């Protein structure tokens, strides 16, 4: 009886995973459920995880790890069999995703390829992130340690997050910092973590201005005017406007 209810629960979880992919993946438009099961690595990895996790909870030895290992070999997605994952997780593309042993993921979460929910070193106990409901984590983002990612948060691609993230916020950068909370830009001193200064470009800009000034002085003193700047010398301007990484 317990085995039957476990089986029914796993089947329900898999059905909701497929539905999540159908709703959130634009390329799934018009694709049938079986084709998605056969062709979406994120769904295959979750299917394997749902089975492995149920076996792990029932105390079956070795087999859950073997299933997780085989799923990783097949999909490139590594989910520890003990990780707790809520309903409707969507792993887009998936390759390179790593979900650690003590990670906890809520409902309706979206992960892109290359996301790591990892530990920071050799700690024991709870050492991986807890991701609340409806969080989106961009490709290549690394979330490290037993941090809490508040519900509805968005983590920008390639961010490295090592601190708790407030609910309904957008966090970007290395290390990750909130740039939006409840849709509003984060104000205050020292809050622009996107348009960071570029000291090398600044130094070159100053040097180039000094060379131009010296050339002008030499010309005024009767020296030969310098040849015009070669074509491959570009003027440096501070970066302005919207970051091209924007969602
Ligand atoms: C973070 C993200 C979800 C957008 O969230 P959002 O709440 O809509 O935020 P916005 O687009 O308004 O961006 C907020 C600011 O962060 C910047 N930003 C967005 N993503 C960023 C990133 N990954 N790295 C650095 N800065 C980023 C934006 O340029 C914007 O800057 P501004 O304040 O100067 O305007 C999106 O940019 C992102 O990274 N998505 C992941 C997509 C992905 O991985 N796709 C892979 C498909 S295969």
């Amino acid at each position: 009886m317990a085995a039957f209810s476990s089986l029914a629960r796993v089947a329900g979880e898999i059905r909701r995973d497929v539905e999540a992919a159908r709703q959130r993946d634009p390329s799934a438009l018009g694709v049938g459920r079986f084709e998605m099961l056969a062709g979406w690595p994120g769904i295959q990895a979750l299917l394997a995880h749902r089975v492995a996790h149920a076996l792990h909870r029932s105390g079956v030895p070795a087999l859950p790890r073997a299933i997780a290992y085989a799923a990783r070999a097949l999909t490139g997605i590594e989910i520890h069999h003990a990780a707790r994952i809520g309903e409707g997780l969507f792993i887009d593309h998936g390759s390179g995703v790593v979900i650690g042993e003590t990670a906890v993921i809520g409902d309706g979460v979206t992960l892109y390829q290359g996301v790591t929910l990892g530990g920071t070193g050799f700690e024991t106990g709870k050492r991986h992130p807890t991701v609340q409901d409806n969080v989106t984590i961009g490709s290549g983002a690394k979330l490290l340690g037993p941090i809490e990612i508040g519900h509805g948060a968005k983590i920008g691609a390639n961010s490295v997050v090592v601190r708790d993230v407030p609910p309904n916020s957008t966090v970007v950068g290395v290390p990750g910092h909130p740039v939006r909370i409840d849709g509003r830009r984060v104000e205050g001193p020292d809050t622009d973590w996107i348009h960071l200064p570029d000291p090398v470009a600044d130094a070159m800009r100053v040097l180039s201005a000094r060379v131009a000034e010296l050339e002008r002085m030499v010309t005024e003193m009767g020296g030969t005017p310098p040849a015009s700047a070669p074509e491959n010398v570009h003027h440096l301007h501070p970066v302005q406007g919207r970051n091209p990484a924007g969602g």
Side-chain angles (χ1 to χ4, degrees):
M1 191 62 194
F4 181 76
S5 77
S6 259
L7 201 67
R9 198 186 59 243
V10 169
E13 286 171 346
I14 292 166
R15 205 171 42 248
R16 285 183 286 276
D17 291 335
V18 174
E19 208 42 50
R22 277 163 68 88
Q23 283 169 8
R24 276 175 256 159
D25 189 343
S27 69
L29 203 70
V31 180
R33 286 188 178 81
F34 285 107
E35 191 179 338
M36 293 194 70
L37 268 172
W40 262 249
I43 295 179
Q44 292 160 352
L46 278 172
L47 192 157
H49 174 74
R50 301 293 185 195
V51 174
H53 189 67
L55 292 171
H56 167 71
R57 278 167 50 119
S58 313
V60 176
L63 189 55
R65 192 180 299 279
I67 293 173
Y69 184 82
R72 189 187 71 158
L74 181 72
T75 64
I77 298 170
E78 181 168 340
I79 308 178
H80 194 283
H81 53 272
R84 283 163 40 207
I85 297 182
E87 292 187 353
L89 172 63
F90 171 44
I91 304 179
D92 199 5
H93 305 291
S95 173
V97 165
V98 175
I99 300 176
E101 180 184 7
T102 62
V104 178
I105 298 180
D107 298 335
V109 170
T110 302
L111 307 182
Y112 290 99
Q113 76 274 13
V115 166
T116 299
L117 303 182
T120 52
F122 298 105
E123 316 84 350
T124 51
K126 171 73 174 148
R127 60 193 185 283
H128 300 106
T130 294
V131 178
Q132 294 181 356
D133 299 346
N134 302 318
V135 168
T136 299
I137 307 181
S139 55
K142 311 293 171 213
L143 283 61
L144 306 175
I147 53 176
E148 188 101 8
I149 312 301
H151 61 83
K154 295 180 197 166
I155 310 296
N158 282 337
S159 305
V160 177
V161 182
V162 290
R163 295 194 193 289
D164 290 352
V165 168
N168 299 317
S169 61
T170 299
V171 165
V172 302
V174 181
H177 281 84
V179 290
R180 299 275 191 282
I181 295 182
D182 289 326
R184 284 193 299 278
R185 192 182 287 267
V186 177
E187 301 293 350
D190 220 14
T191 52
D192 188 351
W193 292 92
I194 300 167
H195 309 103
L196 296 176
D198 184 339
V200 175
D202 288 346
M204 288 175 73
R205 200 175 302 120
V206 169
L207 282 174
S208 140
R210 292 190 66 179
V211 169
E213 177 64 11
L214 286 170
E215 286 174 349
R216 191 188 59 74
M217 287 167 68
V218 169
T219 311
E220 272 178 16
M221 284 158 52
T224 320
S228 55
E231 273 174 16
N232 59 355
V233 174
H234 299 286
H235 290 288
L236 295 167
H237 301 290
V239 177
Q240 282 176 335
R242 197 175 153 76
N243 190 318

